[in-house]
């Protein structure tokens, strides 16, 4: 029995990863993190996405297993960034050359928590939605960071833990294509309508590519990817 634990935030990338995992594993657990993010709305999106999978994609109902949201707000307290603070404008570049939405160590912490959970539920694989193609400049999204962490976790847990990143080398347009491949237009529409990516937590304004403010870096990336996806379809 192949069991996976998906790091699932309720965004486009991790929702695509969730469906990828449902296509590749026998049993799929999910984990999410509350680190005091501004876009707290994604946590309610993730809950409704999981509920809707049961009704709209009943073929996966049997595979979907436990879900847990871990409160790591203490981490948000020490790792201040524009994603967790209130006084910064999203998208500005900090002195170190990284976008100020970078939360130092975030993915390392997420994956270490996920590994502890994976150990407990006997999942051999953690599936996570990082990508380095439309790389926002986050060093903890790179595959070589994942390789090193995978080694550290395997050594530290004395059990083989794999970190699988199906989106690592895909552009945002290719991520939409992957969704289409996994579940056709039904899944693409589902992801447009139900996921949340906007850094500003705007879940009021709906665009053809989904909800968001339209101006923050996450919205811009999502819009650009969507337009490229449509353009590639026409060719
Ligand atoms: Zn936005």
């Amino acid at each position: 029995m192949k069991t996976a634990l998906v790091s699932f935030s309720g965004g486009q990338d991790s929702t695509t990863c969730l469906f990828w995992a449902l296509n590749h594993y026998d049993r799929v657990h999910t984990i999410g993190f509350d680190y005091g993010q501004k876009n707290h709305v994604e946590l309610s999106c993730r809950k409704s996405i999981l509920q809707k999978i049961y009704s709209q994609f009943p073929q996966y109902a049997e595979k979907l297993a436990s879900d847990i949201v871990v409160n790591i707000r203490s981490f948000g307290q020490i790792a201040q960034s524009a994603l967790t603070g209130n006084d910064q404008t999203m998208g500005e570049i900090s002195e170190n050359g990284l976008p100020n939405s970078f939360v130092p160590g975030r993915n390392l912490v997420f994956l270490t928590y996920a590994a502890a959970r994976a150990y407990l539920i006997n999942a051999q694989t953690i599936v996570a939605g990082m990508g380095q193609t439309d790389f926002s400049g986050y060093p903890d999204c790179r595959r070589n960071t994942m390789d090193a962490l995978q080694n550290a976790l395997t050594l530290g847990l004395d059990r083989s833990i794999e970190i699988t990143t199906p989106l690592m080398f895909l552009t945002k347009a290719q991520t939409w294509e992957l969704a289409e491949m996994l579940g056709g237009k039904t899944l693409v529409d589902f992801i447009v309508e139900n996921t949340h990516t906007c850094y500003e937590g705007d879940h009021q304004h709906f665009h053809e590519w989904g909800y968001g403010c339209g101006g923050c870096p996450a919205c811009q990336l999502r819009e650009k990817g969507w337009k490229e996806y449509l353009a590639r379809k026409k060719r």
Side-chain angles (χ1 to χ4, degrees):
M1 178 115 119
K2 281 164 64 193
T3 305
L5 173 64
V6 180
S7 177
F8 174 55
S9 70
Q12 177 194 348
D13 292 343
S14 70
T15 304
T16 307
C17 281
L18 175 56
F19 278 88
W20 181 88
L22 288 166
N23 272 273
H24 287 84
Y25 293 87
D26 305 308
R27 222 164 155 63
V28 176
H29 299 260
T30 47
I31 187 168
F33 299 96
D34 177 353
Y35 57 98
Q37 57 267 57
K38 261 198 214 169
N39 51 347
H40 207 254
V41 62
E42 70 176 19
L43 289 176
S44 51
C45 286
R46 69 187 295 293
K47 200 175 267 176
S48 86
I49 289 168
L50 289 171
Q51 280 164 357
K52 285 179 185 172
I53 289 178
Y54 287 103
S55 53
Q56 296 182 31
F57 300 89
Q59 68 270 36
Y60 297 131
E62 291 257 295
K63 290 190 174 189
L64 215 46
S66 74
D67 176 50
I68 186 170
V69 174
V70 188
N71 179 341
I72 52 167
R73 286 180 171 235
S74 56
F75 174 71
Q77 252 171 17
I78 53 158
Q80 285 276 346
S81 85
L83 269 193
T84 52
N86 293 315
D87 49 351
Q88 294 184 69
T89 310
M90 196 69 65
E92 284 174 0
I93 302 295
S94 308
E95 274 171 31
N96 59 7
L98 292 173
N100 63 1
S101 50
F102 175 60
V103 185
R106 177 175 59 166
N107 284 332
L108 306 178
V109 170
F110 282 7
L111 290 165
T112 304
Y113 272 82
R117 178 74 182 156
Y119 188 95
L120 206 71
I121 58 177
N122 279 318
Q124 306 85 13
T125 307
I126 299 166
V127 178
M130 296 88 177
Q132 64 179 53
T133 307
D134 284 327
F135 185 45
S136 307
Y138 302 150
D140 59 348
C141 287
R142 293 180 295 207
R143 186 59 230 183
N144 56 5
T145 305
M146 295 301 114
D147 288 339
L149 186 60
Q150 183 175 277
N151 272 339
L153 292 170
T154 296
L155 284 171
L157 296 173
D158 198 22
R159 192 189 288 178
S160 170
I161 289 276
E162 193 186 4
I163 301 175
T164 302
T165 49
L167 312 183
M168 185 54 77
F169 301 107
L170 302 186
T171 63
K172 291 286 172 200
Q174 288 169 325
T175 300
W176 287 115
E177 286 171 0
L178 175 63
E180 189 180 327
M181 208 179 78
L182 292 168
K185 188 177 181 302
T186 311
L187 182 55
V188 172
D189 290 347
F190 181 81
I191 291 175
V192 167
E193 285 158 25
N194 291 285
T195 65
H196 182 91
T197 310
C198 175
Y199 283 154
E200 297 294 345
D202 182 332
H203 207 68
Q204 258 90 57
H205 298 98
F206 186 72
H207 314 262
E208 56 171 358
W209 44 267
Y211 286 97
C213 71
C216 77
C219 281
Q220 285 172 359
L221 203 59
R222 181 159 165 160
E223 183 180 10
K224 183 172 162 276
W226 176 257
K227 286 185 172 155
E228 267 171 38
Y229 161 66
L230 291 184
R232 284 162 65 99
K233 263 167 85 86
K234 278 185 198 139
R235 270 193 312 209

